[in-house]
Structures are given as structure tokens and as C-alpha cells.
Amino acid sequence: MVTDKQGTILVVDDENGIRQSFKMVLKDNYHVLLAETGKEAIEALTQNTVDLILLDILLPDVNGLDLLQKLKAIDPHPEVIMVTAVKDVQTAVRAIKLGAYEYIIKPFIVDEVINIIKRALEKRSLIKELAYLRNELERYHPSEEIIGQDERMMKIFEIISTIAGSDSAILIQGESGTGKELFARAIHKLSPRQHQPFVVLACAAIPPTLMESTLFGYHKGAFTGAVRTTLGKLEIANKGTVFLDDIDTLDISMQAKLLRAIQEKEFERIGSTKVIKVDIRFIASSNKDLRELIGSGRFREDLFYRLNVFPIHLPPLRGRRKDIPLLLDHFLGLNAKRSGKPLKKFSSEAAEALAAYDWPGNVRELQNLVERSFTISKGPEIQLSDISTFSIAKAKIKGVTLKEAVDDFEQQYIQEVLDSVDGNRKKASEILGIHRNTLLSKINIFPEKP
Ligand SMILES: Nc1ncnc2c1ncn2[C@@H]1O[C@H](COP(=O)(O)OP(=O)(O)OP(=O)(O)O)[C@@H](O)[C@H]1O
Ligand SMILES: [Mg+2]
């Protein structure tokens, strides 16, 4: 079929209003499929080739995270963007760990949604081009430049440039969003293996039942469904680097199998006795303290010592505040370049709040904030009010948890919308894109009888 559409998007949401508004926004450029329940979503994905899924976290018949995993098991190819209410942002963050690409918050901003969808699909077409890694889910990195002038970061740059050349394993530890994957890629790029594959094993995103076949591959007929011989990540990565991302989530029996493959530099595909020899550099990451996990029996000490030949600890952003303005400028520049819009800057009030904020989500949180505020702000200066949409107005007050900040923002936003319609709850719930009863429960009033 000849078509000028840029892909097929499956919208899964139980609220008809939301489904229809997505359809309206997307139908000119994409084929749009709609599903109201988890069951319908599974059917739609089984029967169609889908490029991207917009998935509501809160569905009546199934938990959003469970559904995400089911959909990934049926077809791991479509990018998934979670659609969430402000209240469920923490769940959305977990969804990203499970392989979702991004999340958007209802009520959503059309430009922002379109931007995210474009990027997700761009990532997909990039993947298609990487023919030599056909089985591979490479992550799309818009910029590989590492920013940082803090002394500890400088020290880390120095260390990686000396150890990149060796074949020794490296363990990168640091909180979520501190740049573990970015550094792993940088090490690979600096190494003699730079023209060989860099393969990511996203331990947290791969269901335990699929881990062994993902790592080692399988022989045709090894189990029901093994219709053709498939290479595992280790085989694909031969001569290159394997990034064992979130290694702490790997289950203990797989830890033993992985350790054996690392030590012996060989393994067998499932269902085959042929020994496959490989030459791989391993870089692992963890945002948990592996020594603690060893203490509680959840991580093998021998695997730890195998991987921890060169340990790197990436400091959280709040511990290197002088990098905050540099990162803000860096991402402002990237957004301007990517969108083709003129460069913007933060007002002094906004910059001050951002400099004082604690950034629990580290550089990733900062990057997302810049992107969102760049998109919604009008004019050349991003104001504090543009940022406060993302709860940072409270930044000056330290010690506020993300959840408290998010809850606060929700209340504040609902109030603003209510004020704008003179307290008319029906109109407010329409603007907010939520059911009136949801609105009432959010402002602590019991749902009215219809
Ligand atoms: N020093 C830095 N300079 C520029 N960009 C950075 C820096 N650190 C992180 N980033 C960017 O921030 C985002 C998050 O980084 P990355 O994915 O490497 O974090 P991570 O530590 O692997 O997080 P997680 O534990 O959640 O997987 C990426 O887009 C990355 O490019
Ligand atoms: Mg990571």
C-alpha cells in the first residue's frame, strides 16, 4: 500500500475524550488505532504492525505496568509512551525502566506530544538502519557530548581516558540519571573497539524468562516458538562492548550463567552444544550499592569482583552544583538546534530556582525540564512560571520530595483551572481531561450522584 503516513500509532486509553483528542492531533500524519482496554490493546497489537503505542497507565481491566510488559512480550519493537496523570508520575518513571520510551502528563500539551512522538519514531528508523544489529535495540542518544567542570567529573574523565584502552571490566555506579550509560558509550568510543558493536543488555527491561535466550541466543527448535536460530546479545557483541545496564536487577541464577560466560569467554546457544567463543569488553552499571546487595544475598560476590576491576562513581547533580548552569545551557542549545527555533535562555529568577533545586532525577530530569519548558515558553526568555508547571517553583524550598512537589502542583493547577472557569467543575474537568468524579475526588469532595 502506498501511503504518506509516517507510521501506525496505537492509542490505549479508557477515556473516550482522550482517545478522540489523540486521534484528532495525529490522524493527518499517522495511522491511528484505538483501544479502550488492555484486552483490546493486546488484540490490536497482535493483528497490526504498530510503530508506537500511547499507553494510559490507569486502565480499568489491567495494571499499566503489567500491560506494558505483556505488550513488549508480544512485540518488543513499538516504542511505548506512557500517558499519565500527575499523581502517577512515579509509576511512569518505573515504566521507563521497563522499556517505555517516555511519559507524558495529562492534560498534555500538543506540541510536546508531537515532539516526543517524532523523536521516538526517529529513534526507530535509526534502529532500522543499523542492519548489522538487526536484533538490537540501540538507544537513540541525541548528544553524546559530556558536560562537566566539577573537579570530580574532571577526575573521572581522566580515569576513563586511561582505562578505555584496556579490556578490563568497568563498574559504573551512580544514582538514576547521572550519566552511567553516557559514560559507558564514551568509554567504548575511546577504546580500540570503537568500530565494533556497543550492545546494551537492559537487565531491568528484559523479563527474567527471556534473559537467557536474549544473552546467549537459541537454536532453531530449542523450544516452542524457536522457529529460527537467533543470535544472543553476546554473540552480536563479539569484538565489541557489552553494557550490562542495571546489573543489580539480574536474577541470581542468571548471574551465575553470565559469570561463567565472562570467565570462560565462551557459551552455547540454548538448544545447541556448539561452543561459541567471544571477545567482549564488559561495562556494568548499577544505581544500587552492590556491596549491600551482596550482604543480603541478592548479588554474587564473585560476579561483583569480576566486574568491579575499575569502579567509577558518578556523583549526583546536587553534589556538583557548578555543572547545573553548564548543563542548562547545553540542553537549551540542543533544543534550539533540534527544533530550528531561536536560542532561549532562563530568566534570572528561573535560573536561580534551578540552581538551588536538588534534582533527584539528576541530569535526565534536568534535560527533560529544559525540553518541556523550551517547548511551552513563549518568547526568548523562559520564566519561572513556565518551569513551575513542572513543580520546580518549590525548588527554593529544599527537602520537598518529588511526590509532594507533584501533588502540590496538581492542586495548584486544578485550582488555577477552576478559577479560570469561575468554579464550574464540569468545564474544569473538560479542560483537565479528567472525569468530573476524578476532579471531585482530587479536590477532596465525594463524587456526586449523577
Ligand atoms: N554530564 C553530562 N553531560 C551531558 N549530558 C548528560 C550528562 N550526564 C547525563 N547526561 C544525559 O542525561 C540523560 C541520562 O543519562 P544516562 O542515561 O546516561 O543516565 P543513567 O545514569 O544511565 O540513568 P539510569 O540509571 O536512570 O539509567 C542522557 O540523555 C544523557 O545523555
Ligand atoms: Mg541508564
Side-chain angles (χ1 to χ4, degrees), residues 96-97 139-148 153 157 172 174-184 243 245-246 285-287 314 320 323 327 330-331 334 361-365 367:
I96 291 188
K97 284 265 154 194
R139 282 176 232 193
Y140 173 45
H141 275 240
S143 154
E144 309 249 300
E145 196 184 340
I146 302 182
I147 306 296
M153 296 300 276
F157 297 151
I172 308 179
E175 289 180 12
S176 194
T178 47
K180 296 184 290 297
E181 181 165 344
L182 184 67
F183 274 86
F243 179 48
D245 198 11
D246 294 313
S285 87
S286 168
N287 58 22
L314 292 178
R320 46 180 164 112
D323 286 349
L327 285 161
H330 169 66
F331 289 117
L334 276 183
N362 295 294
V363 184
R364 179 178 298 109
E365 184 185 4
Q367 181 181 2

Side-chain angles (χ1 to χ4, degrees), residues 42-43 126 270 310 375 436:
I42 289 172
E43 272 168 26
L126 209 86
I270 300 174
F310 287 114
T375 306
R436 192 154 60 121

